[in-house]
Amino acid sequence: MSLPPEKASELKQLIHQQLSKMDVHSRIREILADTIREELAPDQQQLSTEDLIKALRRRGIIDDVMKELNFVTDNANQELPLSPKQPVCFTDRQSTLLKKTNIDPTRRYLYLQVLSGKAFLEHLQEPEPLPGQVCSTFTLCLHFRNQRFRSKPVPCACEPDFHDGFLLEVHRESLGDGTRMADSTTMLSISDPVHMVLIKTDIFGETTLVASYFLEWRSVLGSENGVTNLTAELMGVGTESKVSVGVLNIKLEMYPPLNQTLSQEVVSTQLALEHQKTAEKERLFLVYAKQWWREYLQIRPSHNSRLVKIFAQDENGINRPVCSFVKPLRAGRLLDTPRQAARFVNVLGYERAPVIGGGGKQEQWCTLLAFLCRNKGDCEDHANLLCSLLLGYGLEAFVCVGTKAKGVPHAWVMTCGTDGTITFWESLTGHRYIHKSTNLDEPPAAEQPKPLYPYRTIGCVFNHQMFLGNCQPSDSVETCVFDLNDESKWKPMSEEAIKSVCAPGATTSLPPFPPLCASTIDASVTSNEIEMQLRLLVSEHRKDLGLTTVWEDQLSYLLSPALASYEFERTTSISAGNEEFQDAIRRAVPDGHTFKGFPIHFVYRNARRAFATCLRSPFCEEIICCRGDQVRLAVRVRVFTYPESACAVWIMFACKYRSVL
């Protein structure tokens, strides 16, 4: 392969610098003198190149040089792709190995550095962690224009040691500008903020949402040399949204450097105009929503007690239209079917928004990034995500707001089939229910179908384009008719009004939806780790009871098909493979022996916590504490991974023993 003259001279210069750095020249002179003195006869004064190379190789000089040089093989003739590349995150400042970065020289980048953290006063008394000691950590998650990043975890402290860099690609895909490097004016029109979410992970692996912050990055466009430093004050979430939790020191830098920077006045004017435009749109929507609500109450005074949710508070305590929490979301190749999407949402953890003191449920509808990074949320978070995924699969999906038994507020998802079939999707369990309306005009003697779903009342349904309030005489789900086009049963909001504040790019206050990330969990390795930990816990538990423990690996292996079958059934609602499993167990258990098995399912990977839960089941405890003749124990763990490192963990304990009468 021939190189251009300028590249060849550059390569020679780099090699010369490397050799000088290693002081190779002086080492070669020493070896040359030794070789002439030791190996050449007095009458022989000629030393060939081959002799010198052999001497250098024998002394290890060549090996040392080759170790210092890292070669990256690449196709020099490869064309630059026109589509946006996956950006690169620089996180490890102590790494000595330089990794090849995926930087497109035709694109503009924003290099965001988090230099340090300060004033995290809640951790003022936090002791300095000892080397190797497990401690609580902070992790910073970022999203910008379909790109996601995660910092390395740092120990929780009053001044956490954040020191990470993130390379954010800045491009404009509309107006035919997708393949052209963005200039200052173009970037000024990109109103997407950098969404930063701070997550705390405790020593048990439990996550807590600490802060959610939207960084306005465009101030760098008016800074000298395209570099600026700023401080971001992070506020708490929920009931603590007015309380500062800490400060991040951030440096922003444009790469390549801007040829022409804008004046600070131009940048400030643009931001003020956007804020003014957004505030006016939100004001007009609020005026419309109040008018719609007055009309809704005039239909029937009892509507005042129905759960018609037009606005909801996000984690920062900001009131936003509920339609803005939903948007068609495509999972790429991470999820294949709507039912698999429902299973993914189901295995994300459920946790009600924390509340200080009593007084009922604290409302908090999280933005999608905060929900995904924390890996758990309330029923509304699950329903919003599932509805978004089903919309992405081309289904007509809505979030339903109503109540369950005992009047507990709840949110679930509904899809409307082209044949009129109404299907309810419970986002917390993955269960699906077909809705059949009870006809009140039927005579009392007529047998009515008993509903299987847990829902009692319904106040409204919505998605990213529509909002409809239930104005039927009864808000009971059992008798509800879901003909959404009938305005005598469902009062619609103006789609244009919803679009003015909820359509992508309609307002600058609308958080962009992040893409889903593939799992970083190795299912086989994690399954083995949990299984080994459970074996140790079972052996210790039986030892405390004065019992010996004998494991049978073959029996453990035979449990695998059952666990795979259980997960397949949860995903597809189809049972398969049970016959083969039963046949294999019958062959493995000799005549006169008894087999017992206990499967259980978790959405976390803490073996000790799972074992404690299993012992609370009398049937499982009977297996683990089995007494008898020729007792053989088995345990099998199977971890099924999903996007966002969510996982379904299936565990099966089993034993076989000789029946003695």
Side-chain angles (χ1 to χ4, degrees):
M1 181 185 73
S2 61
L3 287 172
E6 64 274 8
K7 289 289 183 184
S9 62
E10 185 182 346
L11 182 60
K12 287 178 183 176
Q13 187 179 358
L14 288 171
I15 293 173
H16 179 74
Q17 289 174 355
Q18 184 68 29
L19 294 176
S20 301
K21 177 183 171 184
M22 296 177 64
D23 197 22
V24 169
H25 295 96
S26 62
R27 294 167 71 185
I28 290 176
R29 289 192 197 98
E30 292 173 8
I31 291 168
L32 181 60
D34 292 345
T35 305
I36 291 174
R37 188 171 59 251
E38 295 173 4
E39 299 183 12
L40 292 183
D43 59 340
Q44 185 182 357
Q45 296 297 323
Q46 295 290 329
L47 185 67
S48 67
T49 306
E50 289 78 9
D51 293 332
L52 179 58
I53 291 176
K54 285 180 183 176
L56 292 173
R57 184 174 283 117
R58 193 166 57 247
R59 303 291 179 94
I61 302 298
I62 292 177
D63 289 339
D64 290 345
V65 173
M66 296 304 290
K67 285 177 184 176
E68 289 293 324
L69 293 173
N70 288 320
F71 294 98
V72 178
T73 57
D74 200 0
N75 185 0
N77 299 320
Q78 185 177 1
E79 295 182 4
L80 288 172
L82 297 178
S83 59
K85 288 188 176 183
Q86 188 67 23
V88 176
C89 170
F90 299 101
T91 56
D92 193 358
R93 61 192 167 112
Q94 298 177 340
S95 176
T96 56
L97 185 65
L98 293 176
K99 296 182 180 179
K100 184 183 175 188
T101 56
N102 207 11
I103 297 176
D104 186 342
T106 66
R107 292 296 178 90
R108 185 81 67 186
Y109 293 89
L110 173 68
Y111 186 39
L112 187 154
Q113 290 177 273
V114 182
L115 303 177
S116 63
K118 291 185 177 180
F120 286 79
L121 300 179
E122 188 175 333
H123 301 276
L124 189 61
Q125 305 299 326
E126 201 87 17
E128 188 77 19
L130 299 172
Q133 179 186 359
V134 178
C135 62
S136 299
T137 58
F138 283 138
T139 307
L140 198 60
C141 305
L142 274 72
H143 169 235
F144 177 69
R145 293 183 69 77
N146 231 33
Q147 307 159 62
R148 286 183 60 185
F149 305 86
R150 180 183 288 264
S151 73
K152 65 178 183 291
V154 299
C156 293
C158 183
E159 296 187 357
D161 186 27
F162 286 115
H163 200 100
D164 287 290
F166 308 96
L167 201 62
L168 284 58
E169 186 176 323
V170 185
H171 61 273
R172 183 94 183 180
E173 293 180 341
S174 60
L175 306 175
D177 293 338
T179 58
R180 195 171 68 197
M181 184 181 289
D183 57 17
S184 301
T185 309
T186 303
M187 289 189 289
L188 187 59
S189 66
I190 298 175
S191 60
D192 294 27
V194 180
H195 191 184
M196 308 171 72
V197 168
L198 184 62
I199 300 293
K200 177 183 176 181
T201 308
D202 68 15
I203 58 174
F204 304 107
E206 292 297 312
T207 55
T208 308
L209 177 62
V210 178
S212 175
Y213 183 81
F214 293 95
L215 175 68
E216 179 49 72
W217 58 275
R218 286 176 288 176
S219 59
V220 73
L221 301 177
S223 303
E224 189 177 354
N225 302 323
V227 180
T228 186
N229 289 276
L230 51 89
T231 56
E233 185 181 14
L234 306 181
M235 309 302 284
V237 296
T239 54
E240 301 175 36
S241 60
K242 307 298 182 192
V243 181
S244 174
V245 294
V247 174
L248 295 180
N249 293 321
I250 295 171
K251 180 181 179 182
L252 300 177
E253 182 177 357
M254 297 308 303
Y255 176 82
L258 296 171
N259 297 326
Q260 182 181 5
T261 58
L262 304 172
S263 70
Q264 283 289 0
E265 187 180 352
V266 170
V267 176
S268 301
T269 303
Q270 173 70 14
L271 299 181
L273 285 172
E274 288 178 1
H275 180 75
Q276 184 180 346
K277 187 178 176 183
T278 295
E280 180 62 15
K281 284 185 176 181
E282 291 176 346
R283 186 188 69 81
L284 291 174
F285 182 78
L286 180 60
V287 170
Y288 170 76
K290 286 181 176 179
Q291 177 62 29
W292 184 93
W293 178 246
R294 281 194 294 268
E295 293 171 358
Y296 182 72
L297 292 181
Q298 287 172 7
I299 298 173
R300 202 174 284 110
S302 61
H303 286 180
N304 193 38
S305 62
R306 295 189 180 183
L307 278 177
V308 180
K309 194 84 180 155
I310 303 173
F311 294 93
Q313 280 192 354
D314 65 9
E315 66 266 25
N316 290 326
I318 297 172
N319 278 312
R320 291 173 42 207
V322 292
C323 296
S324 67
F325 288 90
V326 174
K327 175 193 167 187
L329 182 63
R330 290 167 59 176
R333 300 190 185 277
L334 300 178
L335 298 167
D336 295 320
T337 66
R339 296 193 186 191
Q340 194 178 16
R343 178 60 173 155
F344 156 59
V345 177
N346 156 222
V347 298
L348 290 171
Y350 168 64
E351 180 182 82
R352 295 179 65 174
V355 59
I356 300 174
K361 180 182 175 182
Q362 167 67 28
E363 180 185 89
Q364 181 178 301
W365 290 32
C366 283
T367 55
L368 183 55
L369 183 68
F371 176 40
L372 294 177
C373 294
R374 191 171 52 143
N375 243 230
K376 59 186 176 184
D378 213 331
C379 61
E380 293 88 358
D381 302 323
H382 287 79
N384 290 334
L385 175 56
L386 179 56
C387 183
S388 298
L389 288 167
L390 296 183
L391 287 168
Y393 281 111
L395 301 179
E396 188 181 11
F398 297 86
V399 175
C400 304
V401 179
T403 62
K404 293 198 298 184
K406 298 180 181 177
V408 177
H410 191 62
W412 66 98
V413 179
M414 170 184 79
T415 53
C416 306
T418 53
D419 60 353
T421 303
I422 301 297
T423 306
F424 292 150
W425 302 64
E426 177 47 64
S427 57
L428 296 179
T429 63
H431 294 160
R432 297 164 65 253
Y433 308 96
I434 303 297
H435 174 263
K436 293 181 180 177
S437 179
T438 301
N439 191 348
L440 295 177
D441 296 331
E442 290 281 343
E447 186 177 349
Q448 299 287 357
K450 188 176 181 181
L452 299 173
Y453 46 79
Y455 318 119
R456 293 293 176 264
T457 66
I458 182 167
C460 64
V461 300
F462 67 88
N463 60 19
H464 63 302
Q465 293 176 327
M466 301 171 66
F467 183 95
L468 302 113
N470 182 6
C471 53
Q472 298 172 58
S474 170
D475 62 352
S476 169
V477 177
E478 198 174 337
T479 60
C480 191
V481 177
F482 288 94
D483 180 3
L484 302 182
N485 295 317
D486 187 347
E487 294 193 12
S488 68
K489 294 182 172 60
W490 294 93
K491 179 174 173 56
M493 266 194 173
S494 163
E495 290 189 27
E496 286 299 317
I498 293 171
K499 193 183 297 184
S500 70
V501 288
C502 296
T507 64
T508 55
S509 64
L510 200 62
F513 267 47
L516 297 182
C517 284
S519 177
T520 58
I521 297 172
D522 187 317
S524 299
V525 171
T526 309
S527 300
N528 284 334
E529 287 176 352
I530 297 174
E531 192 169 306
M532 290 301 103
Q533 292 172 22
L534 287 175
R535 281 196 176 199
L536 188 62
L537 290 168
V538 170
S539 299
E540 289 176 349
H541 186 74
R542 288 176 62 84
K543 186 178 179 181
D544 292 342
L545 297 174
L547 301 171
T548 58
T549 305
V550 181
W551 296 101
E552 185 169 316
D553 291 340
Q554 176 62 13
L555 184 60
S556 296
Y557 180 72
L558 295 183
L559 304 178
S560 296
L563 301 183
S565 177
Y566 298 148
E567 182 62 21
F568 182 76
E569 186 175 356
R570 286 289 181 100
T571 307
T572 64
S573 303
I574 300 170
S575 179
N578 198 38
E579 300 84 359
E580 293 89 344
F581 168 66
Q582 291 184 355
D583 187 63
I585 294 298
R586 289 192 187 100
R587 290 174 178 275
V589 179
D591 290 341
H593 284 64
T594 299
F595 171 84
K596 290 181 179 179
F598 177 79
I600 191 167
H601 166 256
F602 300 100
V603 294
Y604 52 80
R605 306 188 302 277
N606 188 322
R608 191 172 292 275
R609 179 180 167 191
F611 183 65
T613 303
C614 292
L615 285 178
R616 286 200 286 270
S617 165
F619 193 77
C620 185
E621 188 191 23
E622 186 181 326
I623 292 172
I624 292 172
C625 306
C626 180
R627 299 171 182 264
D629 186 22
Q630 298 179 25
V631 175
R632 298 292 182 270
L633 294 173
V635 62
R636 192 65 170 174
V637 177
R638 181 72 167 87
V639 175
F640 297 87
T641 58
Y642 288 90
E644 300 297 328
S645 298
C647 60
V649 180
W650 283 96
I651 301 173
M652 192 168 190
F653 291 99
C655 68
K656 67 176 184 179
Y657 58 93
R658 187 175 179 183
S659 303
V660 180
L661 298 177

